[in-house]
Amino acid sequence: MITNIHNNMRRCLLLDNGTVNYYLNPTDSTKKEDGTNANLDGSDGMVMVEIPKFYTKRKKEGTITSWYISDVPTNGYTLHPAFVKDGVEVDYRYVGAYHASYWDATDGLYKSGLNLDNLIGSLDLSNDKLASVSGVYPICGVTRPECRTLARNRGNGWCVFDFYLVQAIQMLYVVEYQTFYSQQVLGNGNVSGSYITPSAVQEDSPHSIAGLSNVLGNRSTEGSQPSIGAKPGIAYMSYRGIENFYGNGWQWIDGWNINNNLSSVSNYPSTFDDTSLTTNNYNILGTSMPASNGYISNIQDLDNVYLPSQVTGNGSSYLTDYYYQNSGLRVAALGGAADLGALAGAFSWSLFYASGYRRRLVSSRLAY
């Protein structure tokens, strides 16, 4: 079911002060709306997907759960929490059109993470900035708090892709396609590559370069994309302008801390951290998630979010995506790496890593 909300999701160039510089052509992101050439290299702003605020309702009838969305406030509907940011209702949220790269303040260039497990030696955390630009490979070898710092360096309101924004996009996908099986609908994505010994050479990395979906504009892939294990990667998927929402590298997700499989979430990006559970604007959500790995087969009885409750499924039924967990204090990553195959997808979660984990299979995404 396609709604006004879906139709109004669109790519734009967002300035560091949070204002839209201009919108991109709906069927060709290399052009502006008026057909003239766009600059996707960062000089005109970050390439983002604008998502208008919407209202939600969940209805249960026996074993059937249905989700409804509306672009206007309607009886029985509530505003999705993704659109209450730092305690203030906002009309739009913005998510990076691509996996993040970074802007190097020393030479003024946009750079990737190459094929490194550890990029910290190349970063100036006081001045470099997380970025969303075309033509650059994903940043990798960075921890979640490092990505958070780089995002905040861009200015007030900028953050790493956050829990409630992910949940809003997942809900938009479910309402549109009436299925959780994202790889069947949108294609496998870049998930059939392989990682070798870190070499600092992009040609040894299975990641695909940002911008492969520019030929689609705001449209979705809606079909199988090539996933032949090429290096650098050549496969991709896109959901309404959000390139590689899954696959091509796990993406750090902020505003979600996990302690022994119990979720603590926040929609206050200005105070996101890696340790809070019931303080600093974090609150416990739902009950404990499964204490074992597996394909997600059921979700918790909650409004607005899809938290796993059972993992007895497989790759073609129920939510069809995989869930990794671990004991202790953990953080979240979404979507799957470039070698995850059928375990990847729009609902695939790794809640396995501590906040200080770094490896080339984990990337990031910018949000506002």
Side-chain angles (χ1 to χ4, degrees), residues 18 99 101 108 242 245 338:
H99 277 191
S101 54
I242 308 171
F245 184 70

Side-chain angles (χ1 to χ4, degrees), residues 48 85 93-94 96 130 147-148 150-152 154-162 165 254 268-270 272 364-368:
M48 308 292 285
K85 184 180 172 186
R93 290 295 309 275
Y94 297 88
L130 205 65
C147 291
R148 183 188 304 127
L150 294 172
R152 289 174 175 171
R154 188 155 292 283
N156 292 334
W158 291 92
C159 60
V160 171
F161 201 10
D162 60 277
L165 184 53
D254 219 346
Y268 282 75
S270 64
F272 283 166
S364 189
R365 191 180 295 266
L366 193 61
Y368 184 88

Side-chain angles (χ1 to χ4, degrees), residues 26-105:
T27 61
D28 181 357
S29 293
T30 66
K31 307 292 186 183
K32 300 179 183 178
E33 279 187 309
D34 63 8
T36 59
N37 290 335
N39 294 317
L40 308 181
D41 59 2
S43 58
D44 284 355
M46 298 296 98
V47 188
M48 308 292 285
V49 176
E50 181 181 85
I51 304 173
K53 72 179 178 183
F54 62 88
Y55 303 81
T56 74
K57 180 176 73 172
R58 183 173 64 106
K59 184 178 180 180
K60 295 184 66 178
E61 294 179 322
T63 60
I64 303 298
T65 300
S66 301
W67 291 270
Y68 303 84
I69 60 177
S70 171
D71 58 342
V72 296
T74 305
N75 186 42
Y77 286 72
T78 59
L79 181 67
H80 195 285
F83 300 93
V84 181
K85 184 180 172 186
D86 281 317
V88 178
E89 183 175 325
V90 296
D91 291 331
Y92 302 98
R93 290 295 309 275
Y94 297 88
V95 60
Y98 320 116
H99 277 191
S101 54
Y102 75 99
W103 179 76
D104 190 323

